[in-house]
Amino acid sequence: MILRGAYRHLVPWFSLCCLLLSGAARAEVTVTDAHGEHTFEQIPERVVTISWAMTENVIELGVTPVGVADIEGYNEWVVRPAVPDGVDDIGKRGEPSIEELAALKPDVIIISNGQEGLIDKLEQVAPVLYFNAFGAEQDNARAARRIFRETAKLFGQEERAQRKLDAMDARFDELRQQLHDHFGEALPPVTGVRFNNQSVVFIYGANALSQYALNHLGIEPAMDIPPSQWGIAQKKLTSLSQMSKDSVLLYFKPAPGVERLFESPLWQAMPVARAGHVAGVESTWSYGGAMSIRYLAEAMTDALLTIEP
């Protein structure tokens, strides 16, 4: 093909643009995880996530992983964001199938707390990023935001991440107003729990993502639980009897057997139960990434609005 006139002068510019765009696509990217800096020659395209919190982060950033651990469990406990169709399940979070994982030929594998012992095996398949999302020595909510931004850098999605974080902060204002419209100027103190069985309960405290969400809704805790790695404390069920009738107890679903518990004389004797200040929170992952904080705030607000002021 022969180009004539002005078009002939466009060819060098067109070639230069193609070269620049191609170079941008192959540009190195450096991210920092719990073990230091990692440089990738180009943005990873084939991603496997074994931690549910990291799965959440990746999908929120508009990246569809090629493999995720325990999708059935994720759909029951995490729920949002949904795992896209076509993603392979590579097995348990604590014991993924190395054979299935290798078959996916990932460019990167992303893991989090409780999966450190897998690193040596996983690194035989692909580079591994390990993020310390939960620790007693850190503010877990701040860590969630930092990890979300760092993951965004890996995929060139920094602007998208910032938009989502800004939208979450704006959403807190909307939800807080809804609560004041319902309860009035003074919001009741609230504590969230997960029931373990008929006699043991996990109570969320100062370093829990759910407590961070409540704080940003302008709500004080009904029980004083000191900071811990996961933001929870295991207690006897009877410890909930110290909650006053003016406070609110939120329990997170799924909560199998809760109906039988609520029929027990022990439960019905508790002040917060007698006052009818107990509500269930729809499934939302309490140990997730940054966007889980928004989902926790929304789900807990929905539950609180069912309580009579």
Side-chain angles (χ1 to χ4, degrees):
M1 182 173 63
I2 299 174
L3 296 177
R4 299 181 184 278
Y7 292 105
R8 181 176 55 194
H9 302 292
L10 295 178
V11 171
W13 288 103
F14 178 75
S15 299
L16 177 60
C17 289
C18 289
L19 181 62
L20 291 173
L21 289 172
S22 175
R26 294 199 302 267
E28 285 187 352
V29 57
T30 299
V31 297
T32 304
D33 71 355
H35 294 152
E37 290 189 345
H38 301 260
T39 298
F40 294 79
E41 293 183 354
Q42 60 188 32
I43 292 175
E45 295 181 352
R46 299 182 63 79
V47 185
V48 168
T49 52
I50 299 178
S51 155
W52 284 346
M54 301 304 114
T55 299
E56 174 202 311
N57 279 345
V58 168
I59 297 173
E60 290 284 358
L61 292 168
V63 177
T64 299
V66 294
V68 167
D70 189 5
I71 294 177
E72 182 179 354
Y74 180 99
N75 291 338
E76 181 180 8
W77 290 87
V78 184
V79 182
R80 295 184 289 177
V83 176
D85 293 337
V87 177
D88 280 12
D89 191 325
I90 50 101
K92 298 177 181 178
R93 288 176 292 163
E95 192 177 359
S97 167
I98 300 299
E99 292 76 15
E100 291 183 23
L101 205 160
L104 293 174
K105 301 183 185 307
D107 299 321
V108 64
I109 302 168
I110 308 178
I111 64 175
S112 185
N113 299 76
Q115 298 165 337
E116 302 93 316
L118 300 172
I119 291 177
D120 288 344
K121 284 185 178 178
L122 298 177
E123 282 184 334
Q124 296 177 23
V125 177
V128 176
L129 293 178
Y130 165 70
F131 289 107
N132 180 26
F134 292 89
E137 75 291 346
Q138 67 180 13
D139 181 322
N140 287 335
R142 286 180 180 272
R145 287 175 176 265
R146 174 177 48 77
I147 292 169
F148 189 54
R149 288 194 177 97
E150 203 64 28
T151 308
K153 190 189 301 182
L154 177 66
F155 300 113
Q157 296 291 334
E158 295 97 324
E159 292 184 6
R160 182 187 181 107
Q162 191 57 54
R163 284 199 305 273
K164 282 184 169 281
L165 291 171
D166 291 343
M168 178 171 68
D169 291 335
R171 185 65 171 145
F172 283 138
D173 295 337
E174 297 172 356
L175 297 172
R176 190 184 310 112
Q177 187 58 54
Q178 289 181 30
L179 291 168
H180 280 295
D181 291 344
H182 183 74
F183 287 106
E185 183 177 350
L187 301 179
V190 176
T191 281
V193 304
R194 280 194 189 272
F195 293 116
N196 185 46
N197 54 42
Q198 299 290 308
S199 58
V200 176
V201 64
F202 294 106
I203 305 177
Y204 291 104
N207 206 20
L209 298 187
S210 59
Q211 189 58 55
Y212 176 88
L214 287 172
N215 292 344
H216 278 65
L217 295 175
I219 293 175
E220 296 294 326
M223 296 181 69
D224 185 19
I225 302 296
S228 63
Q229 178 182 10
W230 299 94
I232 58 172
Q234 180 176 321
K235 301 280 188 180
K236 292 182 178 178
L237 185 70
T238 51
S239 66
L240 299 179
S241 61
Q242 66 183 271
M243 293 182 65
S244 77
K245 63 180 179 58
D246 297 321
S247 60
V248 173
L249 174 69
L250 297 179
Y251 67 91
F252 288 86
K253 300 178 181 179
V258 72
E259 294 81 5
R260 188 157 60 92
L261 169 66
F262 288 171
E263 292 173 353
S264 69
L266 172 65
W267 180 262
Q268 293 180 7
M270 294 188 184
V272 72
R274 289 205 307 270
H277 289 176
V278 179
V281 180
E282 293 302 323
S283 290
T284 308
W285 193 223
S286 310
Y287 314 104
M291 290 303 107
S292 274
I293 299 171
R294 171 176 177 157
Y295 299 143
L296 285 164
E298 292 175 337
M300 290 190 293
T301 298
D302 288 344
L304 286 169
L305 294 178
T306 67
I307 301 290
E308 290 295 329

